[in-house]
Amino acid sequence: MRMSWRSRRPDGYYHVYNRAARRLILFADGANRTYFMWLVARAARKFGVVGVTWCLVVNHYHLLLKGTGEALGRMMQEVERLYATRFNQLTGFNGCLFQGRFGSTWLPDMEAVTYVSRYIHANALDEGGDLETYPWSSARAYLGEYPVPDWMDVEPVLREVGGPDAYRNYLQATPPKKSREGRREQAQDAFVTYLEDKVAKLLLGHEDACLRLSTKILVCVVAMKEYAIRPRVLARHFGYASGASVSAAASRMISRLRENEPLMACLKEVLTLESD
């Protein structure tokens, strides 16, 4: 069965992630993790996808990948299916291994790619690992301490930050994770934080254009329209009552934005509002 890719942008960088269902241990030992990454590497070569960053922890994975949406969808379908089959054979487990279909966030530029690369490597801290030496991530390849496999390309991120030494400093400056419910959506939640900073920078010096507009809802519009962030994630992030309240407020904001050309000009890097 052919998968449909949910993003409106079929080509580019994507943060892909998933976790085990029902609090299962997804990667019990090094052999499990080695097999999973072997599947990832093989599928990346097969479908023409480039790996950028990765990290495995005990019950979930993070991958930063570059490719077409169709190739990414087929790649991850194959990886999860084959890993689940072997997992079930070895453990006698019967049922869905993963907590639904994998999640994905499209990344618009190298600033976002670099930010998410650091976020992915920082997941080593969840297992008490050291950011620079954790064996189940690509951090050592970024720091020049481990060969870069042929299916990966770390150079774009290293160019963005200024090389391995600069990346080491960037990695060590990782901010602490916010403690929130809904761990499956932590990756999207972290990206919303990035969007808050991005929008705030774009609006500097344009406060007059933002009069009587909620910047929180403005960020919600960008997150929902451009990056398919779920309303319930935004509601929890900003403290709104529900995802439905966020969606309603975002709809009102979109109508006001279309009548505010100066503000739309400020936001052209992160927001496009086509006719519905």
Side-chain angles (χ1 to χ4, degrees), residues 215-271:
T215 54
K216 289 182 180 180
I217 292 299
L218 190 56
V219 172
C220 290
V221 170
V222 174
M224 292 167 61
K225 292 286 290 184
E226 303 301 311
Y227 309 110
I229 303 296
R230 299 177 182 89
R232 67 172 180 268
V233 176
L234 297 165
R236 183 162 50 245
H237 185 95
F238 289 115
Y240 289 98
S242 66
S245 63
V246 171
S247 296
S251 296
R252 294 191 294 270
M253 175 67 78
I254 289 171
S255 297
R256 299 177 71 180
L257 283 174
R258 288 187 170 129
E259 300 173 354
N260 193 327
E261 293 184 6
L263 184 55
M264 284 297 295
C266 299
L267 297 171
K268 63 182 179 180
E269 291 185 25
V270 292
L271 182 62

Side-chain angles (χ1 to χ4, degrees), residues 1-206:
M1 181 177 67
R2 181 173 179 173
M3 291 180 63
S4 61
W5 187 253
R6 288 165 291 177
S7 174
R8 293 188 293 115
R9 294 174 173 81
D11 194 2
Y13 291 94
Y14 290 86
H15 178 195
V16 177
Y17 44 89
N18 211 346
R19 66 173 54 244
R22 296 185 291 281
R23 300 183 183 275
L24 289 170
I25 295 176
L26 189 60
F27 304 113
D29 53 36
N32 296 143
R33 301 184 193 209
T34 298
Y35 178 63
F36 183 84
M37 289 311 301
W38 179 81
L39 290 175
V40 169
R42 187 183 72 162
R45 298 184 190 102
K46 177 179 178 180
F47 294 106
V49 173
V50 177
V52 182
T53 307
W54 63 272
C55 186
L56 308 182
V57 294
V58 66
N59 67 343
H60 64 282
Y61 70 80
H62 290 273
L63 305 171
L64 205 170
L65 304 171
K66 182 182 181 183
T68 65
E70 182 179 4
L72 285 162
R74 290 182 175 181
M75 170 185 170
M76 295 314 304
Q77 182 185 52
E78 178 173 297
V79 168
E80 290 194 347
R81 175 176 55 82
L82 292 177
Y83 186 78
T85 298
R86 178 165 174 172
F87 182 96
N88 291 349
Q89 290 172 345
L90 292 175
T91 64
F93 178 73
N94 185 21
C96 295
L97 175 59
F98 291 98
Q99 197 178 64
R101 186 183 172 187
F102 63 89
S104 61
T105 302
W106 176 78
L107 306 176
D109 51 37
M110 285 310 303
E111 181 183 353
V113 171
T114 303
Y115 176 92
V116 170
S117 171
R118 180 174 67 176
Y119 169 82
I120 289 175
H121 286 145
N123 276 264
L125 299 174
D126 291 347
E127 293 198 350
D130 180 81
L131 290 174
E132 297 186 20
T133 61
Y134 184 66
W136 300 110
S137 83
S138 53
R140 292 180 297 168
Y142 274 81
L143 301 177
E145 298 172 357
Y146 196 82
V148 180
D150 62 0
W151 62 279
M152 288 188 64
D153 184 9
V154 303
E155 288 304 315
V157 172
L158 290 180
R159 283 196 300 269
E160 183 73 11
V161 299
D165 290 340
Y167 191 83
R168 177 178 280 104
N169 294 334
Y170 183 65
L171 196 59
Q172 291 298 338
T174 301
K177 282 187 178 181
K178 295 180 179 180
S179 177
R180 296 185 185 274
E181 298 176 358
R183 290 184 59 83
R184 187 178 191 275
E185 294 163 346
Q186 274 189 347
Q188 286 197 337
D189 186 78
F191 192 69
V192 175
T193 299
Y194 164 78
L195 287 178
E196 286 184 87
D197 294 339
K198 181 79 170 178
V199 171
K201 291 175 183 177
L202 291 174
L203 295 178
L204 284 175
H206 300 282

